[in-house]
Short mmCIF file of all heavy atoms in Angstrom, two decimals:
data_model
loop_
_atom_site.label_atom_id
_atom_site.label_comp_id
_atom_site.label_asym_id
_atom_site.label_seq_id
_atom_site.Cartn_x
_atom_site.Cartn_y
_atom_site.Cartn_z
N GLU A 378 97.44 99.86 96.69
CA GLU A 378 97.17 99.51 95.38
C GLU A 378 96.11 100.55 94.93
O GLU A 378 95.20 100.81 95.60
CB GLU A 378 96.63 98.18 95.22
CG GLU A 378 96.32 97.87 93.74
CD GLU A 378 95.93 96.32 93.57
OE1 GLU A 378 96.82 95.49 93.45
OE2 GLU A 378 94.66 96.12 93.48
N ARG A 387 89.52 102.65 92.96
CA ARG A 387 89.71 101.77 94.12
C ARG A 387 91.03 101.88 94.63
O ARG A 387 92.01 101.83 93.96
CB ARG A 387 89.41 100.31 93.86
CG ARG A 387 89.41 99.27 94.97
CD ARG A 387 89.20 97.98 94.57
NE ARG A 387 88.91 96.99 95.63
CZ ARG A 387 89.95 96.29 96.23
NH1 ARG A 387 91.19 96.50 95.77
NH2 ARG A 387 89.58 95.46 97.09
N VAL A 388 91.14 102.25 95.97
CA VAL A 388 92.41 102.27 96.73
C VAL A 388 92.44 101.29 97.79
O VAL A 388 91.29 101.10 98.46
CB VAL A 388 92.75 103.61 97.15
CG1 VAL A 388 91.69 104.28 98.24
CG2 VAL A 388 94.07 103.88 97.70
N SER A 389 93.54 100.46 97.98
CA SER A 389 93.57 99.59 99.15
C SER A 389 94.90 99.58 99.60
O SER A 389 95.95 99.97 99.02
CB SER A 389 93.25 98.11 98.55
OG SER A 389 94.20 97.73 97.64
N VAL A 390 94.95 99.29 100.96
CA VAL A 390 96.29 99.24 101.74
C VAL A 390 96.32 97.92 102.34
O VAL A 390 95.41 97.49 103.05
CB VAL A 390 96.41 100.34 102.76
CG1 VAL A 390 97.69 100.28 103.53
CG2 VAL A 390 96.33 101.80 101.99
N GLU A 391 97.47 97.15 102.11
CA GLU A 391 97.63 95.83 102.57
C GLU A 391 98.80 95.78 103.48
O GLU A 391 99.77 96.45 103.27
CB GLU A 391 97.91 94.84 101.43
CG GLU A 391 98.02 93.43 101.86
CD GLU A 391 98.21 92.58 100.67
OE1 GLU A 391 97.76 92.91 99.51
OE2 GLU A 391 98.80 91.45 100.83
N ASP A 392 98.59 95.08 104.69
CA ASP A 392 99.78 94.85 105.61
C ASP A 392 99.69 93.42 106.09
O ASP A 392 98.76 92.67 105.69
CB ASP A 392 99.77 95.80 106.64
CG ASP A 392 98.58 95.67 107.46
OD1 ASP A 392 98.26 94.64 108.22
OD2 ASP A 392 97.86 96.72 107.80
N GLY A 393 100.66 93.03 106.81
CA GLY A 393 100.88 91.50 107.27
C GLY A 393 100.27 91.20 108.48
O GLY A 393 100.32 90.25 109.05
N ASP A 394 99.57 92.24 109.24
CA ASP A 394 99.05 92.12 110.58
C ASP A 394 97.58 91.64 110.36
O ASP A 394 96.80 92.08 109.65
CB ASP A 394 98.88 93.43 111.29
CG ASP A 394 98.55 93.35 112.72
OD1 ASP A 394 97.95 92.26 113.09
OD2 ASP A 394 98.86 94.28 113.46
N PRO A 395 97.23 90.42 111.09
CA PRO A 395 95.92 89.88 110.86
C PRO A 395 94.91 90.43 111.67
O PRO A 395 93.61 90.29 111.33
CB PRO A 395 96.14 88.39 111.55
CG PRO A 395 97.27 88.56 112.62
CD PRO A 395 98.13 89.63 112.00
N TYR A 396 95.15 91.55 112.62
CA TYR A 396 94.00 92.14 113.20
C TYR A 396 93.25 92.98 112.36
O TYR A 396 93.63 93.86 111.45
CB TYR A 396 94.73 93.11 114.37
CG TYR A 396 93.69 93.94 115.06
CD1 TYR A 396 92.80 93.44 115.86
CD2 TYR A 396 93.56 95.23 114.60
CE1 TYR A 396 91.80 94.27 116.40
CE2 TYR A 396 92.66 96.07 115.27
CZ TYR A 396 91.74 95.55 116.23
OH TYR A 396 90.82 96.24 116.78
N ARG A 397 91.93 92.67 112.31
CA ARG A 397 91.03 93.57 111.55
C ARG A 397 90.41 94.72 112.47
O ARG A 397 89.70 94.56 113.34
CB ARG A 397 89.79 92.69 111.08
CG ARG A 397 90.11 91.56 109.98
CD ARG A 397 89.05 90.78 109.66
NE ARG A 397 87.91 91.59 109.22
CZ ARG A 397 87.20 91.32 108.27
NH1 ARG A 397 87.20 90.20 107.64
NH2 ARG A 397 86.16 92.11 107.93
N PRO A 398 90.79 95.87 111.99
CA PRO A 398 90.27 97.17 112.76
C PRO A 398 88.86 97.31 112.55
O PRO A 398 88.20 96.89 111.68
CB PRO A 398 91.14 98.30 112.11
CG PRO A 398 91.37 97.85 110.81
CD PRO A 398 91.62 96.20 110.78
N LEU A 413 89.47 104.95 110.60
CA LEU A 413 88.57 104.07 109.85
C LEU A 413 87.16 104.55 109.77
O LEU A 413 86.49 104.50 108.74
CB LEU A 413 88.65 102.67 110.38
CG LEU A 413 88.01 101.64 109.44
CD1 LEU A 413 88.73 101.60 108.09
CD2 LEU A 413 88.28 100.31 110.01
N LYS A 417 85.35 105.39 106.26
CA LYS A 417 83.99 104.96 105.94
C LYS A 417 83.02 106.10 105.66
O LYS A 417 82.17 106.15 104.70
CB LYS A 417 83.36 104.15 107.17
CG LYS A 417 84.06 102.72 107.14
CD LYS A 417 83.25 101.96 108.31
CE LYS A 417 83.81 100.44 108.16
NZ LYS A 417 82.75 99.54 108.61
N VAL A 426 82.00 102.41 98.43
CA VAL A 426 81.97 101.25 99.35
C VAL A 426 83.40 100.97 99.93
O VAL A 426 84.27 101.28 99.23
CB VAL A 426 81.34 99.98 98.83
CG1 VAL A 426 79.86 100.17 98.49
CG2 VAL A 426 82.13 99.63 97.62
N CYS A 427 83.42 100.51 101.15
CA CYS A 427 84.70 100.10 101.67
C CYS A 427 84.52 98.86 102.60
O CYS A 427 83.47 98.61 103.02
CB CYS A 427 85.38 101.32 102.41
SG CYS A 427 84.42 101.78 103.84
N ASP A 428 85.62 98.08 102.75
CA ASP A 428 85.65 96.96 103.65
C ASP A 428 87.05 96.64 103.95
O ASP A 428 88.01 97.14 103.51
CB ASP A 428 84.91 95.86 102.70
CG ASP A 428 84.39 94.70 103.69
OD1 ASP A 428 84.44 94.79 105.00
OD2 ASP A 428 83.77 93.77 103.11
N VAL A 429 87.10 95.66 104.97
CA VAL A 429 88.35 95.06 105.41
C VAL A 429 88.20 93.40 105.06
O VAL A 429 87.27 93.01 105.37
CB VAL A 429 88.48 95.14 106.98
CG1 VAL A 429 89.73 94.61 107.34
CG2 VAL A 429 88.50 96.78 107.26
N GLU A 430 89.35 92.98 104.52
CA GLU A 430 89.36 91.54 104.17
C GLU A 430 90.66 91.08 104.56
O GLU A 430 91.65 91.64 104.72
CB GLU A 430 89.21 91.26 102.66
CG GLU A 430 87.93 91.96 102.03
CD GLU A 430 87.79 91.96 100.55
OE1 GLU A 430 88.89 91.53 99.96
OE2 GLU A 430 86.74 92.23 100.04
N ARG A 431 90.64 89.72 104.87
CA ARG A 431 91.94 88.98 105.14
C ARG A 431 92.63 88.58 103.79
O ARG A 431 91.91 88.41 102.81
CB ARG A 431 91.58 87.56 105.88
CG ARG A 431 91.05 87.84 107.25
CD ARG A 431 91.36 86.63 108.13
NE ARG A 431 90.70 86.70 109.43
CZ ARG A 431 91.06 87.52 110.30
NH1 ARG A 431 92.11 88.34 110.32
NH2 ARG A 431 90.47 87.50 111.49
N THR A 432 93.82 88.53 103.83
CA THR A 432 94.69 88.13 102.72
C THR A 432 95.06 86.65 102.84
O THR A 432 94.97 86.06 103.91
CB THR A 432 96.00 88.97 102.47
OG1 THR A 432 96.78 88.56 103.60
CG2 THR A 432 95.76 90.44 102.46
N GLY A 433 95.47 85.97 101.61
CA GLY A 433 95.86 84.77 101.79
C GLY A 433 97.08 84.37 102.55
O GLY A 433 97.24 83.34 103.02
N GLU A 434 97.77 85.41 102.84
CA GLU A 434 99.10 85.28 103.57
C GLU A 434 98.79 85.49 105.08
O GLU A 434 99.67 85.52 105.98
CB GLU A 434 100.08 86.27 103.09
CG GLU A 434 100.64 86.05 101.71
CD GLU A 434 99.66 86.48 100.66
OE1 GLU A 434 99.00 87.47 100.84
OE2 GLU A 434 99.53 85.80 99.61
N GLY A 435 97.55 85.82 105.48
CA GLY A 435 97.20 85.93 106.96
C GLY A 435 97.07 87.40 107.33
O GLY A 435 96.82 87.71 108.52
N GLY A 436 97.53 88.35 106.49
CA GLY A 436 97.34 89.73 106.83
C GLY A 436 95.96 90.24 106.52
O GLY A 436 94.94 89.51 106.47
N LYS A 437 95.92 91.56 106.18
CA LYS A 437 94.61 92.08 105.83
C LYS A 437 94.78 93.20 104.80
O LYS A 437 95.89 93.76 104.59
CB LYS A 437 93.92 92.82 106.99
CG LYS A 437 94.72 94.00 107.65
CD LYS A 437 93.99 94.65 108.58
CE LYS A 437 94.80 95.62 109.42
NZ LYS A 437 96.20 95.14 109.91
N VAL A 438 93.65 93.51 104.09
CA VAL A 438 93.68 94.57 103.07
C VAL A 438 92.39 95.42 103.32
O VAL A 438 91.29 94.82 103.67
CB VAL A 438 93.73 94.05 101.70
CG1 VAL A 438 92.47 93.30 101.34
CG2 VAL A 438 93.72 95.15 100.62
N ILE A 439 92.58 96.62 103.47
CA ILE A 439 91.44 97.65 103.67
C ILE A 439 91.30 98.50 102.39
O ILE A 439 92.26 98.84 101.95
CB ILE A 439 91.68 98.52 104.99
CG1 ILE A 439 91.95 97.77 106.12
CG2 ILE A 439 90.55 99.43 105.11
CD1 ILE A 439 92.39 98.74 107.29
N TRP A 440 90.07 98.36 101.91
CA TRP A 440 89.95 99.03 100.59
C TRP A 440 88.71 99.99 100.60
O TRP A 440 87.75 99.75 101.32
CB TRP A 440 89.72 98.04 99.45
CG TRP A 440 88.71 97.03 99.67
CD1 TRP A 440 88.78 95.83 100.13
CD2 TRP A 440 87.24 97.17 99.19
NE1 TRP A 440 87.53 95.23 100.29
CE2 TRP A 440 86.67 96.09 99.61
CE3 TRP A 440 86.60 98.24 98.61
CZ2 TRP A 440 85.22 95.89 99.26
CZ3 TRP A 440 85.26 98.04 98.21
CH2 TRP A 440 84.63 96.87 98.67
N ALA A 441 88.71 100.89 99.66
CA ALA A 441 87.55 101.83 99.48
C ALA A 441 87.43 102.04 97.91
O ALA A 441 88.43 102.26 97.16
CB ALA A 441 87.85 103.09 100.15
N SER A 442 86.15 101.93 97.37
CA SER A 442 86.07 102.18 96.02
C SER A 442 85.09 103.46 95.87
O SER A 442 84.03 103.49 96.44
CB SER A 442 85.34 101.06 95.24
OG SER A 442 86.20 99.95 95.12
#
Side-chain angles (χ1 to χ4, degrees):
E378 183 175 276
R387 182 181 192 267
V388 64
S389 62
V390 175
E391 181 177 337
D392 64 56
D394 189 336
Y396 173 72
R397 288 179 57 142
L413 194 53
K417 284 186 167 201
V426 292
C427 62
D428 202 359
V429 179
E430 299 173 356
R431 293 207 187 283
T432 65
E434 295 79 31
K437 68 179 165 303
V438 62
I439 304 174
W440 59 268
S442 290

